[in-house]
Amino acid sequence: MHLTRKSAPFCSITVCAILLAGCNSEPEMGGPERAVAEAPAPVLTPGAAATVAPDGTALVPGSWSINEDAMGVRAQYAAVGEQPAVTVTCDPTYDAVTLSVAATAGGPQAWRLDAGGEAARIDMLPSGGVLPELTAQVNQGLAIIQSLADQGGVFMLTSPQGQPSQFPTHPGIRRVLDRCNPMAAAPVAQETPDAVIAPSEAPIR
């Protein structure tokens, strides 16, 4: 087909318009796909657990494990192959949280708990189980007990003989505390409000 002088410019402009339309439509088709492909996936990085106490002293060797079954939830701190040094347990039947420590005693003992900038007396009793262990029912609604589930912190248990043992806090303990409803927990005689004392008022004997 022979193009006249009048039709040639018209065809050129039409071709350019088609090419420009194709260029303008390409970002609309590929833009969202390219944006999704280039978006980095979020990375959740948990905070590191404490390895030493604020004063630089070493913590009790071990690590936390959290276990849950029909009987409740348990957070246990132990070295590999060793008896748990500390256990925090929730019994959902009674909405009760129990703090246990590996130790022997012929009767009740008053231990000291330092955590979250607070201190409390914990009256412990022999568990009577196979392993030597002292236990106490604690009020999970207290801030000092809640602080055991902080990230990167340290708490300390001191025996009546004045021997301190320091452990890292762990967020997994939150599962134990949340399993037991703090609103349903009744006050217990083993840890009463007047047992909470300021650190400066509680000399370790």
Side-chain angles (χ1 to χ4, degrees), residues 89 91 94-100 121-125 134-140 142 145 184-192:
T89 307
D91 184 347
Y94 303 101
D95 291 326
V97 172
T98 299
L99 175 66
S100 304
R121 187 185 72 245
I122 307 294
D123 296 326
M124 312 197 79
L125 297 170
L134 300 177
T135 65
Q137 185 175 329
V138 297
N139 185 343
Q140 63 268 40
L142 293 178
I145 301 300
V188 292
Q190 291 173 322
E191 185 179 6
T192 55

Side-chain angles (χ1 to χ4, degrees), residues 57-149:
T57 57
L59 306 181
V60 173
S63 60
W64 285 99
S65 62
I66 314 299
N67 300 287
E68 183 170 7
D69 53 30
M71 302 300 294
V73 190
R74 294 172 302 282
Q76 296 178 312
Y77 186 84
V80 177
E82 299 291 336
Q83 174 190 354
V86 173
T87 302
V88 185
T89 307
C90 167
D91 184 347
T93 303
Y94 303 101
D95 291 326
V97 172
T98 299
L99 175 66
S100 304
V101 59
T104 58
Q109 285 190 343
W111 285 58
R112 170 172 165 158
L113 170 65
D114 289 88
E118 298 186 44
R121 187 185 72 245
I122 307 294
D123 296 326
M124 312 197 79
L125 297 170
S127 66
V130 177
L131 298 176
E133 190 177 56
L134 300 177
T135 65
Q137 185 175 329
V138 297
N139 185 343
Q140 63 268 40
L142 293 178
I144 190 171
I145 301 300
Q146 291 286 322
S147 67
L148 301 182

